[in-house]
Amino acid sequence: MADGGSDETVLEGVGAYFLSVVEASQDCIRVISPAGRIEYMNTRGKQLLEIDDFEAHNRDRYWPDMWHVESRAAVETALQAALEGRAVAFRAYNPTAKGAPRWWETTVSPILVDGRVVRVLATSRDVTSARLAERHRQLLVNELNHRVKNTLATIQSITQQSLRNAGVESAVRDALEGRLMAIAATHNVLTDQNWSAASLRQIVDGSVIPYRSNPSQLTVAGPDLKVSPKTAVVMALAFHELAINALKYGALSAAAGHVDVTWTIEPEDHLHIEWRERGGPPVRQPERRGFGSRIVEAALPGELAGTVSVDYRPDGLRCSIDAPLSALDKADAFMPLG
């Protein structure tokens, strides 16, 4: 098969059927020689790349030379992989022949005959619109995250001043400010994940670490899971309330006190979380249920479609949380990260 011939000559070994298929494609399709040179480009590809005279300026041209300098390394790597018999894909920038900016999703595959690579097939799809839409979406998300952070900071400031000026006792002020901080910390975790999910470990760490006096007071262990945004906020508040209670009355109020937070995935796809305190002052059953109790014992199980058991043992409070991994409307509440 000689370079420089017509498309029909170049593809005669494959046949007219192949030519009709690639000519019908709305993507840019090229056949590349073992030397990395362009032998064929379909009509749609020439249109997408705004190439007016393929025969004069692009046939037999080294393929990576047709790409923008910032993308050349990716193209070279993909071409080499295909020549070694491996199919690869990459996304890279390359303007058209007339300078219009374009982003391309390209798949490069070896063409094999009797187990030998005789040519390379490169298919590129114009993803410029999708990329611009994604960039616009990300800008909006970043702006929203910035505004929400500022709003939370403003609410915290207004709350502090209003309660202080109203003569509200410091314990009440601290409790409310702590809850706002728990929400803000969870927001930061969700922001890092583009509001797709939050790490359960990060939720626990963010809710409890601020209240320990030293690292030895807290042990956190369990498989890393991601939690849906709505569930993450409720869980953060629940762990915050448990931590505040431990700081006031339980293990975190004593230098030798310790809190263990562990979770496992049990048979039949159930999540089991244990909060165990030890080394603190003797625990007594509270005389009334406050806001924290309602969050832990009512809001949390409702959000998880599960159960929560709180045991006020004299040697340390225990809280057990059980929830299905796929609870109807919470089907995406817990999923392995990665």
Side-chain angles (χ1 to χ4, degrees):
M1 201 179 298
D3 292 337
S6 67
D7 291 342
E8 288 78 7
T9 301
V10 170
L11 295 169
E12 62 183 0
V14 181
Y17 177 73
F18 175 80
L19 179 60
S20 66
V21 170
V22 296
E23 283 297 323
S25 174
Q26 292 302 298
D27 297 330
C28 175
I29 299 179
R30 288 141 296 194
V31 175
I32 303 169
S33 74
R37 299 188 176 278
I38 300 291
E39 291 187 338
Y40 163 83
M41 181 183 293
N42 66 341
T43 301
R44 181 57 177 162
K46 298 167 192 175
Q47 294 171 349
L48 289 170
L49 288 167
E50 298 185 311
I51 295 174
D52 292 332
D53 194 342
F54 174 75
E55 298 296 332
H57 302 294
N58 292 283
R59 186 185 292 283
D60 199 36
R61 188 177 177 187
Y62 186 53
W63 184 46
D65 286 346
M66 296 179 68
W67 287 79
H68 190 271
V69 61
E70 73 179 42
S71 306
R72 183 179 173 119
V75 180
E76 292 267 18
T77 299
L79 177 60
Q80 185 58 42
L83 290 172
E84 293 171 359
R86 293 177 285 116
V88 295
F90 65 91
R91 176 177 286 196
Y93 170 75
N94 196 37
T96 67
K98 296 181 180 179
R102 294 286 186 273
W103 279 86
W104 307 91
E105 193 81 56
T106 301
T107 301
V108 187
S109 308
I111 299 176
L112 302 172
V113 174
D114 297 328
R116 182 171 59 90
V117 179
V118 296
R119 276 172 179 75
V120 169
L121 185 71
T123 303
S124 296
R125 175 163 296 178
D126 184 352
V127 294
T128 306
S129 296
R131 180 176 172 81
L132 291 175
E134 173 60 25
R135 289 182 63 185
H136 182 62
R137 186 196 68 81
Q138 190 59 53
L139 285 173
L140 291 177
V141 169
N142 291 342
E143 178 62 21
L144 177 61
N145 287 332
H146 176 70
R147 288 177 180 271
V148 171
K149 278 187 176 183
N150 285 346
T151 300
L152 285 171
T154 300
I155 291 173
Q156 286 177 292
S157 177
I158 292 173
T159 301
Q160 290 173 352
Q161 295 180 26
S162 298
L163 296 182
R164 187 179 298 112
N165 293 339
V168 177
E169 59 182 89
S170 60
V172 176
R173 297 201 307 267
D174 292 344
L176 181 55
E177 290 169 12
R179 287 159 187 155
L180 290 173
M181 289 175 60
I183 294 173
T186 305
H187 175 271
N188 290 337
V189 173
L190 290 167
T191 298
D192 292 340
Q193 298 295 324
N194 283 324
W195 281 84
S196 60
S199 162
L200 178 54
R201 186 178 194 91
Q202 286 180 303
I203 292 172
V204 174
D205 285 347
S207 301
V208 185
I209 284 178
Y211 303 106
R212 69 184 189 188
S213 58
N214 60 74
S216 65
Q217 281 195 303
L218 176 66
T219 299
V220 179
D224 212 354
L225 304 170
K226 64 180 182 179
V227 183
S228 63
K230 182 171 179 287
T231 305
V233 172
V234 177
M235 293 191 74
L237 283 172
F239 283 117
H240 166 76
E241 295 302 329
L242 287 168
I244 284 293
N245 184 75
L247 179 65
K248 289 182 176 180
Y249 313 110
L252 297 183
S253 68
H258 191 90
V259 174
D260 292 288
V261 185
T262 60
W263 60 90
T264 56
I265 297 177
E266 303 294 319
E268 300 183 1
D269 290 333
H270 268 68
L271 175 71
H272 179 73
I273 305 175
E274 282 281 341
W275 171 287
R276 296 189 300 271
E277 299 182 27
R278 51 188 168 85
V283 174
R284 293 183 300 172
Q285 181 84 23
E287 297 179 358
R288 65 180 182 86
R289 295 173 72 251
F291 176 81
S293 296
R294 290 193 292 274
I295 286 289
V296 174
E297 299 179 49
L300 186 59
E303 179 62 30
L304 300 181
T307 60
V308 173
S309 173
V310 179
D311 185 358
Y312 296 91
R313 300 186 181 188
D315 59 342
L317 183 141
R318 299 281 183 94
C319 179
S320 299
I321 304 166
D322 289 279
L325 293 180
S326 54
L328 299 175
D329 60 335
K330 301 293 188 298
D332 66 335
F334 297 100
M335 289 189 230
L337 284 175

